[in-house]
Amino acid sequence: MGVRIQMPLSLRERIGMEEMVEVEGDTVGRCLEDLTRKWPELKGELLDPNGRLLLRWTIYLNGRPPSSSEELEQYVSEGDIITLLPLVDGG
Amino acid sequence: MEREIPGGYNGRILRVDLSRERIDQVDLDASLCRRLLGGAGFIAYFLLKELPQGTDPFGPENKLVFASGPLTGIPLGGCARHTVGAKSPLTGGIAKSEAGESWGPQLKRAGFDALIVEGRAHRPVYLWIHDGDAEIRDASSLWGKETRETQEKIREEVGEARASLAMIGPGGENLVRYACIMHGCFDAAGRGGLGAVMGSKNLKAVAVRGDRMPPLKDPQAVKRMAAWLKDHMDLVKAFSDYGTGSPMPRFEQVGNLPVRNFRDGGFPQVERITPQTIKGTIRVGMKGCFACPVQCKKEVEFREPYHVDRIYGGPEYETLAALGSACGIDDLKAISKGSERCNAYSIDTISTGMSIAFAMECFENGLLTLEDTGGLELRFGNAEAMLEMIERIARREGLGALLAEGTVRAAQRIGKGTEAYAMHVKGQELPMHEPRLSKALGLGYMVNPHGADHMDSMIDLFFSAFTAQPTVAVPDLIPLGMEPAPLDDIGPRKVALFKAFQAKRIVADSLVLCHFLPYSFSQVAEITSAVTGWETTPMEQIRVSERILTLCRLFNLREGITDEADRLPERFFYPTQDGPLAHRSLSPDEMERAKRYYYRLLGWDDRGVPTPERLEELGISELEG
């Protein structure tokens, strides 16, 4: 089993994906790239042209959010779960 | 015209005249319910109708309105809120601010939809509202007390440990122009100086307790929405886990985090002050509002180098940035102590932080001296100076007395060009999102009737997508015909999108519903229908928002606040000194054009004056003038 990405409900409903999508890659960023290779329609929904995660998403790795802005550089290994969550913030 | 009181309302308003020590219970005009909903809508209506032009915000004739909405207190996440309003001592225009906790639900259960306080008590008093009754009680022994002690003593005195308190600390008593009203010890109706209005009336607190919720039209439909929320908690997981502010590292990376009074761009030490760091170090729990499963309120506690009391919660995002990066401070414990003190004194953390940041920039530029600061090295990054200034502002001591006036008045008093460092719109200090990065946000700051406000503004970047081209798409507005608009733009499509977004927020502030819950606009209308029995739609609710915004506009115009006041500080027309916004700024002409187009969408003329036809169409002609 490789790394799995848990997809948010909003994208699952719109694109008709499963909740868990298996991807390949040794960092969070490369896993997301693999995801967008498999689902090209997701590319502009998740990443900006510089390959950065859009502000409307946050990611958790194994249930924890990143502690720094270098979230896409985090290393992952087999069995890890990346969770993609919507984010709106204020307050 | 509706004659019967719809579901979710009591149909009763409590009116208190503190000068005459008179309490009246009056019927709510049923026709107002559907046309204004409640909350922000009721506040706009009552203030416009009942305050004479030129009312002194600190005079007895100003009215402090606490208004619930039909959704306040229903058993559904996000429905614990109410709105407070008055003529603002900070802006001179209309002020309103929302708070959670359980005060609003308790007011509703005590039998009232709104409380309107006027006059000025001859001595400090508090109100005790319970189960359809109300009384004025002496608060002389409470004057000068911080909020925790105030809450404890009043609960003891009324013999009701579950009573909810809206109250002020020394900041409100001392008329700090941005004093807030604390609801409990960590929920603030934060903006506009409402706590100072309360202080000017010698009103220390309003305690409420009630058990009788008015009937809802379709309780089963409300239950179904609660079940939907339970199934969709992933949409609010970041709030539940960390509270507000978990994207701070990315805010800093893209330039959304204000740094040193919006002067600078980079704050690489941001990781020291994030909610993630809070969770791993000083956090001892999470709390939430009445009936809300999200539980987004941090509680922090520690004893060294300061003692911070968990009863005051923990710093929200706005506080982490206002007392933190905006002051160049990366000391999490100092920021948490500052948050605790602001809540104890009842002063708004945003305006407090931005007033200190203003003074820091003045000091660094030699426009305030050590003599002015009473020996404080008031430089960016000096956490101890920030904490000391909070004390002085709340007590109006030394430079604190000047900063307690807000940045505009302080700059006018200091002169020497310090106006350039006052980051405000209409006199209200900017909140903690960067307008150079999100043009619709900049427009939102400009045109908000209450001054710079983030809660009713759309932050473009939060809704960006790069599908065919860079766009801003708000998913629940697409079914209303609001197509995605170009991202880095403030043309007519973006303005229209912002206006629709703002409408949803104004409606939420009137129902009164938390902005952090993930209900779509259609779902908001569904909930409204379930509670009230109206067959309503987002289309009707957008119309209501236009009516409310127009009432607010009429109030401000009557006070001489015109289109000239709908503008951003000059600073935003230049890039930051460094960081991701070093080559990015707003165009004043472009923002002006956007503003005029926004006026047109509201049915106002080029100067932002609602046309007679528009007033007639909205059914509010009689309220003009």
Side-chain angles (χ1 to χ4, degrees):
Chain A
M1 189 197 297
V3 175
R4 286 180 301 164
I5 298 183
Q6 186 179 13
M7 298 302 296
L9 192 66
S10 54
L11 289 181
R12 273 170 20 219
E13 285 178 346
R14 190 145 52 86
I15 297 175
M17 331 171 56
E18 295 294 314
E19 180 174 1
M20 290 294 199
V21 179
E22 196 156 324
V23 291
E24 287 173 14
D26 57 353
T27 65
V28 171
R30 280 192 271 276
C31 288
L32 289 178
E33 279 171 27
D34 190 43
L35 177 74
T36 57
R37 264 195 298 275
K38 289 173 175 157
W39 301 86
E41 61 268 56
L42 284 177
K43 192 168 184 185
E45 299 268 2
L46 299 179
L47 303 168
D48 74 12
N50 299 319
R52 290 189 307 213
L53 191 65
L54 298 182
L55 262 186
R56 64 188 164 112
W57 303 111
T58 192
I59 51 166
Y60 281 14
L61 179 57
N62 297 324
R64 293 178 60 83
S67 59
S68 79
S69 58
E70 310 300 317
E71 57 204 332
L72 300 188
E73 277 83 63
Q74 292 179 104
Y75 283 101
V76 293
S77 51
E78 197 161 302
D80 281 351
I81 294 177
I82 298 165
T83 307
L84 197 54
L85 291 164
L87 181 75
V88 175
D89 210 331
Chain B
M1 196 73 80
E2 203 151 357
R3 293 222 173 92
E4 282 189 18
I5 293 297
Y9 295 88
N10 287 297
R12 300 289 280 171
I13 293 177
L14 189 65
R15 285 185 176 269
V16 177
D17 183 336
L18 292 172
S19 299
R20 296 181 178 81
E21 298 187 1
R22 189 180 159 151
I23 297 175
D24 289 305
Q25 294 189 24
V26 297
D27 288 339
L28 171 68
D29 175 355
S31 71
L32 299 179
C33 298
R34 189 154 182 168
R35 300 179 71 230
L36 296 165
L37 300 175
F42 282 1
I43 284 166
Y45 173 81
F46 286 117
L47 293 179
L48 180 64
K49 184 160 182 260
E50 298 185 9
L51 289 194
Q53 181 186 28
T55 294
D56 174 3
F58 290 147
E61 64 274 25
N62 197 4
K63 296 192 183 189
L64 187 62
V65 184
F66 296 77
S68 69
L71 270 52
T72 303
I74 68 170
L76 179 66
C79 293
R81 295 176 81 78
H82 67 285
T83 308
V84 191
K87 183 174 179 184
S88 170
L90 193 60
T91 69
I94 190 165
K96 67 108 180 124
S97 200
E98 289 73 36
E101 204 245 3
S102 67
W103 195 93
Q106 298 260 26
L107 181 76
K108 181 76 76 72
R109 282 166 171 73
F112 304 104
D113 298 312
L115 162 68
I116 303 177
V117 183
E118 63 187 290
R120 175 188 290 137
H122 305 297
R123 63 188 192 291
V125 296
Y126 72 92
L127 297 177
W128 170 221
I129 302 169
H130 53 99
D131 305 308
D133 207 356
E135 55 190 293
I136 301 172
R137 290 188 168 199
D138 181 59
S140 302
S141 65
L142 298 171
W143 207 248
K145 304 288 186 209
E146 296 178 6
T147 49
R148 176 185 182 146
E149 194 177 348
T150 303
Q151 177 168 267
E152 286 171 355
K153 287 211 171 349
I154 290 179
R155 282 179 171 168
E156 197 181 310
E157 205 170 293
V158 301
E160 180 51 85
R162 291 171 300 171
S164 273
L165 270 293
M167 57 191 161
I168 55 169
E173 295 170 13
N174 293 328
L175 308 185
V176 175
R177 283 187 189 269
Y178 42 85
C180 60
I181 300 177
M182 295 304 299
H183 293 77
C185 291
F186 56 83
D187 273 286
R191 309 235 65 201
L194 297 163
V197 175
M198 200 157 157
S200 74
K201 297 189 174 306
N202 275 327
L203 180 62
K204 180 68 176 173
V206 182
V208 291
R209 175 78 191 139
D211 288 315
R212 285 180 299 110
M213 183 69 187
L216 313 182
K217 188 72 178 177
D218 185 356
Q220 292 307 315
V222 175
K223 275 189 187 164
R224 285 196 295 276
M225 194 60 78
W228 177 88
L229 179 61
K230 196 175 168 197
D231 289 343
H232 291 77
M233 286 297 285
D234 70 320
L235 296 171
V236 287
K237 185 170 165 52
F239 281 138
S240 293
D241 287 352
Y242 293 93
T244 53
S246 60
M248 281 179 79
R250 294 159 71 201
F251 284 0
E252 193 274 340
Q253 185 185 53
V254 300
N256 189 51
L257 183 75
V259 181
R260 295 179 200 87
N261 203 30
F262 287 93
R263 184 193 68 187
D264 301 346
F267 197 68
Q269 63 271 49
V270 64
E271 286 158 29
R272 295 179 190 162
I273 62 170
T274 61
Q276 290 86 323
T277 302
I278 290 176
K279 185 175 183 182
T281 54
I282 57 176
R283 205 175 93 183
V284 291
M286 293 294 280
K287 279 201 164 180
C289 300
F290 169 87
C292 187
V294 180
Q295 302 284 297
C296 71
K297 303 282 183 183
K298 312 171 189 83
E299 290 180 288
V300 305
E301 188 165 66
F302 52 89
R303 297 203 165 268
E304 298 293 338
Y306 331 94
H307 178 213
V308 166
D309 185 348
R310 68 185 294 177
I311 199 165
Y312 291 110
E316 299 284 349
Y317 165 66
E318 293 291 322
T319 309
L320 290 165
L323 301 180
S325 59
C327 290
I329 290 169
D330 60 10
D331 179 337
L332 180 59
K333 287 190 168 179
I335 296 167
S336 300
K337 184 65 184 172
S339 172
E340 181 215 62
R341 290 295 85 202
C342 287
N343 288 352
Y345 299 146
S346 78
I347 53 176
D348 174 34
T349 56
I350 299 174
S351 283
T352 301
M354 288 306 292
S355 295
I356 296 171
F358 159 81
M360 286 174 162
E361 191 165 4
C362 291
F363 185 85
E364 290 203 345
N365 286 298
L367 302 168
L368 287 173
T369 65
L370 278 173
E371 194 180 343
D372 296 318
T373 65
L376 272 186
E377 284 283 342
L378 199 52
R379 294 184 184 283
F380 285 121
N382 187 342
E384 293 303 320
M386 177 271 288
L387 289 175
E388 178 58 29
M389 283 315 303
I390 289 175
E391 301 294 325
R392 294 186 192 178
I393 288 168
R395 297 190 163 81
R396 279 188 172 267
E397 291 171 0
L399 181 64
L402 185 63
L403 297 184
E405 292 289 292
T407 53
V408 171
R409 289 176 175 82
Q412 283 167 352
R413 201 85 59 80
I414 299 166
K416 306 179 213 171
T418 53
E419 289 86 353
Y421 308 136
M423 296 300 112
H424 74 97
V425 176
K426 300 185 181 73
Q428 176 156 279
E429 287 72 23
L430 253 65
M432 298 294 106
H433 298 278
E434 171 59 73
R436 274 171 285 216
L437 193 61
S438 296
K439 291 178 178 174
L441 172 69
L443 179 63
Y445 286 168
M446 288 162 71
V447 298
N448 192 295
H450 314 100
D453 169 282
H454 61 299
M455 296 307 290
D456 293 338
S457 295
M458 180 176 87
I459 301 174
D460 312 31
L461 267 193
F462 287 7
F463 300 95
S464 61
F466 293 85
T467 39
Q469 54 182 326
T471 57
V472 172
V474 184
D476 67 329
L477 297 181
I478 290 172
L480 301 177
M482 291 298 139
E483 293 175 1
L487 174 62
D488 190 20
D489 178 70
I490 191 68
R493 279 170 66 181
K494 177 71 81 61
V495 176
L497 188 59
F498 156 68
K499 185 204 163 266
F501 187 93
Q502 185 193 38
K504 185 184 173 191
R505 293 297 178 93
I506 297 287
V507 165
D509 295 344
S510 302
L511 284 171
V512 178
L513 180 64
C514 181
H515 295 187
F516 293 167
L517 274 289
Y519 309 121
S520 68
F521 211 157
S522 300
Q523 286 174 309
V524 170
E526 273 178 51
I527 303 166
T528 310
S529 294
V531 170
T532 61
W534 305 323
E535 264 185 56
T536 191
T537 62
M539 188 59 81
E540 181 184 8
Q541 297 200 321
I542 288 173
R543 186 84 154 169
V544 171
S545 78
E546 292 170 349
R547 185 175 291 121
I548 295 168
L549 284 165
T550 302
L551 292 174
C552 291
R553 191 76 185 179
L554 291 177
F555 184 99
N556 282 352
L557 286 168
R558 191 170 69 185
E559 299 303 323
I561 300 169
T562 67
D563 59 324
E564 292 294 316
D566 292 342
R567 62 188 169 90
L568 287 168
E570 284 287 312
R571 171 155 284 175
F572 298 100
F573 304 129
Y574 300 91
T576 52
Q577 288 196 1
D578 54 26
L581 304 182
H583 302 288
R584 196 181 166 100
S585 61
L586 296 174
S587 149
D589 292 343
E590 194 181 40
M591 296 308 290
E592 276 296 304
R593 279 198 299 277
K595 178 172 101 178
R596 308 285 164 198
Y597 191 68
Y598 171 83
Y599 294 162
R600 285 169 62 186
L601 291 180
L602 261 297
W604 304 346
D605 70 16
D606 270 356
R607 300 294 308 277
V609 178
T611 61
E613 294 82 4
R614 181 59 157 163
L615 297 181
E616 187 182 334
E617 179 199 323
L618 292 171
I620 52 177
S621 299
E622 79 283 2
L623 289 168
E624 194 195 12

